[in-house]
Amino acid sequence: MYHAIVRRKVRALWRIAGDGSGNYRPAVAMAAPDLRFRFIGDGVLGAELRGPAAFADWFERANRCIPGMRLSLTDVVVKGWPWNTDVVVRLRIEATLADGSLYENEGIQWARIRWGRMVEDTVLEDTLRLQQAWERQQTATAAAVGIAVTGRG
């Protein structure tokens, strides 16, 4: 029963946070004061940080990099008990970039929850696809305002 409740809450959270509106506040509200967040990779969104404020800042950066990102769950696995719960989410990422092209990616989130608070969150995404999308976004945005883009961001 506990696992079904957690799955339902995770799905509800992702419906809000992943609808493309940039409303990440419910995810940040779940973060424990000592949250450890990692977005694996050296690309534009790569991060290893601690705490809800830094977590919120990361979401702000993600929303600036690729506005309107939509995230949908394809699977949720829950194991453990309220004092030590692992939640693994498989997700699909989509966005329409500034040049009109479609960004599509997939990712995995592994979170650890203790007594309803997220204490650890690790996200793995195809960072090459993400980097290429960000570069297309930068080029299209710069072209829209008449600025030449050179090199990598």
Side-chain angles (χ1 to χ4, degrees), residues 24-67:
Y24 55 84
R25 286 180 289 289
V28 174
M30 223 183 129
D34 61 343
L35 167 73
R36 179 176 177 223
F37 173 75
R38 293 183 308 152
F39 190 98
I40 305 297
D42 295 326
V44 63
L45 292 180
E48 185 159 345
L49 50 90
R50 290 199 176 268
F55 191 41
D57 290 346
W58 181 87
F59 275 109
E60 286 288 332
R61 185 172 50 158
N63 286 326
R64 280 192 310 272
C65 286
I66 303 185

Side-chain angles (χ1 to χ4, degrees), residues 77-136:
V77 177
V78 178
K79 74 173 194 145
W81 299 104
W83 54 88
N84 190 22
T85 307
D86 285 320
V87 177
V88 181
V89 173
R90 185 173 172 200
L91 53 112
R92 179 165 179 70
I93 303 117
E94 293 182 338
T96 302
L97 300 177
D99 66 1
S101 66
L102 180 63
Y103 166 59
E104 295 179 292
N105 209 339
E106 56 187 315
I108 301 287
Q109 174 194 34
W110 188 300
R112 175 152 299 138
I113 299 171
R114 290 199 177 109
W115 300 113
R117 303 298 296 238
M118 187 168 50
V119 296
E120 195 173 330
D121 186 8
T122 302
V123 178
L124 299 140
E125 186 174 327
D126 183 332
T127 54
L128 177 60
R129 274 192 215 172
L130 174 60
Q131 188 68 29
Q132 290 169 341
W134 182 76
E135 289 170 2
R136 285 196 321 267

